[in-house]
Amino acid sequence: MVHVISEYRNKASVECDRQVTRVLYVHFGDNWLRGSEIVLLDMISSAQQQGYQPVLWCNSQLLADEAKQLGIEVICQPMVCIGYWFKPRWQFGSFIRQLVTARKLIKRCGIQLVHCNNGAPCQWLSLACKYLKVPLLLHLHARYQYFDRLALGFAGADFTVGVSHSVTEVFRQAEPNQKSYSVIYNGIEQQRAVSEQPTDLRSIVGATDKDTVMLYVGSLIARKGLATLISAIAQVSSQDSSQVTAQASRQVMSGATSQPQVKLAIVGEGEEKHRLMMQVESLGLSEQVFFLGEQQDVAALYSSNVDCFVSVPSEEVFGLTLAEASLANLPVITTDVPGVNEIYQDNVNARLVPAGNIKALAEAISEYTRHPSRFKGFANAAQRHIAQSFSCQHQFQQFDTCYHETVARGSQKSFTWFVGYQLSQVSNALLAKVTSKISQGLKQLGVRQVTAK
């Protein structure tokens, strides 16, 4: 589904007939292959199939190596941003060299459109593209606050695409290019989710046929809600234990086996791993929660003999792993947050619970153990929904339209306008900050004077 708010969306199609073939894709990020990197690789592959000649410029060697296998030209080198969160923050010499590189690449390769795959490269691409009068499309995989949008020069983009409405919501506010944005959901390749050689995860976690095995795939960071998930498993286990205590002696007499358990396989790495492992140990869940680290063949995990997929982020912009799990026909338990609830409906194709609510999550997990067939119905509905609405082919058809429209419209605003706009906005932001500091200082001084009297 595409939601385009653009003053030129309804122009005659003849204006979009200009052939676009040379697109420069630019990506700045960590040296890994995760959500935005995977989406970019799939998009480049789709672009090739449609007759485009993509060029990739990035700072990730892993991404560069994967892209080279597609047979495209790849330039991989370190990148910097000025005055942003990434360190080092003030390498002006390197920043100027990036501007020179951008200019040379665009001219040498005959680039007709620059596709900026995340926010950071926009800081130098906006300058280069305005100077060369080449259209710039900004593709956002995260939410950016006002400071981020200002520091990275989002006003220099000629068209902005977000992976969900939760990303583009800010562009309804006072933005200079607020009418030129669109929502294009990520596409998912089936080969990322389905494997003919599935992993035997039940054996890895020591699960019996009666146990419920849940899978999580993703980063081990705070906003992914893993601490909440682990606490919910502890609560479910505690409830189960209390319910069977009265029956324990009869089970022993009859030779019954141990009670079914809920087990969790966590796939991924991140800064929260040590703290999460300590939490597991303190709750006595070492035989129920397993950390499997990074795994390259995620399709083999989705296609494994686990029972359901669980991911409960406190915030999300799309939820690529959720969609992949659904393609593999795994029931999904997740959170009712913007981005996720654009894809899933509670009790229709997934179970959605409030973010951070341990009790609600524990109840949803218990519900699965009691009514797995009901959740299987959710999984079937989700699989159809994802396959029909979130294919890579469908995604690129929408990008193809955006590419042609953006090129037909051309680079909007001038280099002089953009520089002037950035300077005025930075000045206003600094003035507001100084004024706020002075106001706070005067208030504190007034309090001290009253106290002294």
Side-chain angles (χ1 to χ4, degrees), residues 160-302:
T160 301
V161 173
V163 298
S164 66
H165 287 283
S166 65
V167 172
T168 60
E169 186 68 28
V170 295
F171 293 96
R172 296 184 183 181
Q173 302 169 12
E175 297 281 340
N177 55 351
Q178 60 177 319
K179 294 183 179 180
S180 300
Y181 72 88
S182 169
V183 172
I184 300 180
Y185 294 114
N186 289 332
I188 300 98
E189 283 284 1
Q190 188 167 2
Q191 64 186 27
R192 279 274 306 166
V194 180
S195 172
E196 295 181 356
Q197 297 180 316
T199 301
D200 185 3
L201 269 178
R202 301 187 78 87
S203 294
I204 293 174
V205 302
T208 68
D209 291 340
K210 294 182 179 180
D211 291 335
T212 297
V213 181
M214 301 185 300
L215 172 66
Y216 168 83
V217 177
S219 301
L220 275 55
I221 54 179
R223 70 176 178 84
K224 292 297 185 179
L226 284 164
T228 300
L229 176 54
I230 291 168
S231 295
I233 291 174
Q235 191 171 115
V236 171
S237 299
S238 176
Q239 292 170 352
D240 291 345
S241 298
S242 63
Q243 290 172 2
V244 302
T245 299
Q247 305 173 10
S249 58
R250 291 197 298 272
Q251 289 177 338
V252 172
M253 293 292 293
S254 63
T257 59
S258 60
Q259 286 297 312
Q261 291 184 315
V262 173
K263 300 199 173 194
L264 172 65
I266 297 176
V267 177
E269 294 287 346
E271 60 194 31
E272 289 286 298
K273 183 174 183 178
H274 178 70
R275 192 178 70 82
L276 294 170
M277 293 178 73
M278 295 296 290
Q279 181 187 7
V280 168
E281 186 176 348
S282 67
L283 293 173
L285 298 176
S286 298
E287 296 300 316
Q288 290 178 251
V289 180
F290 301 83
F291 294 86
L292 306 184
E294 291 278 9
Q295 301 289 326
Q296 293 300 316
D297 191 0
V298 292
L301 299 171
Y302 293 131

Side-chain angles (χ1 to χ4, degrees), residues 92-202:
F92 289 100
S94 298
F95 186 80
I96 292 172
R97 283 192 289 274
Q98 282 174 186
L99 288 172
V100 173
T101 299
R103 177 179 176 275
K104 288 181 177 178
L105 268 177
I106 291 171
K107 296 190 74 172
R108 176 175 65 81
C109 298
I111 298 299
Q112 297 163 280
L113 175 76
V114 176
H115 181 128
C116 184
N117 192 51
N118 49 8
C122 191
Q123 191 180 67
W124 66 89
L125 291 175
S126 54
L127 290 166
C129 288
K130 288 300 176 198
Y131 181 78
L132 295 172
K133 298 181 180 180
V134 173
L136 173 62
L137 184 146
L138 177 58
H139 188 188
L140 300 178
H141 303 262
R143 299 183 191 91
Y144 290 83
Q145 300 306 314
Y146 175 72
F147 168 79
D148 304 305
R149 304 196 302 273
L150 177 60
L152 298 177
F154 283 12
D158 298 293
F159 200 90
T160 301
V161 173
V163 298
S164 66
H165 287 283
S166 65
V167 172
T168 60
E169 186 68 28
V170 295
F171 293 96
R172 296 184 183 181
Q173 302 169 12
E175 297 281 340
N177 55 351
Q178 60 177 319
K179 294 183 179 180
S180 300
Y181 72 88
S182 169
V183 172
I184 300 180
Y185 294 114
N186 289 332
I188 300 98
E189 283 284 1
Q190 188 167 2
Q191 64 186 27
R192 279 274 306 166
V194 180
S195 172
E196 295 181 356
Q197 297 180 316
T199 301
D200 185 3
L201 269 178
R202 301 187 78 87

Side-chain angles (χ1 to χ4, degrees), residues 1-40:
M1 185 190 307
V2 184
H3 301 268
V4 177
I5 301 180
S6 169
E7 62 188 18
Y8 60 94
R9 186 69 174 103
N10 296 319
K11 285 187 177 181
S13 59
V14 67
E15 295 185 18
C16 299
D17 286 341
R18 178 179 173 183
Q19 185 64 28
V20 183
T21 58
R22 301 290 287 179
V23 178
L24 174 63
Y25 292 89
V26 186
H27 181 86
F28 178 106
D30 292 309
N31 192 36
W32 59 31
L33 292 176
R34 296 186 181 174
S36 62
E37 293 84 8
I38 292 167
V39 169
L40 176 59

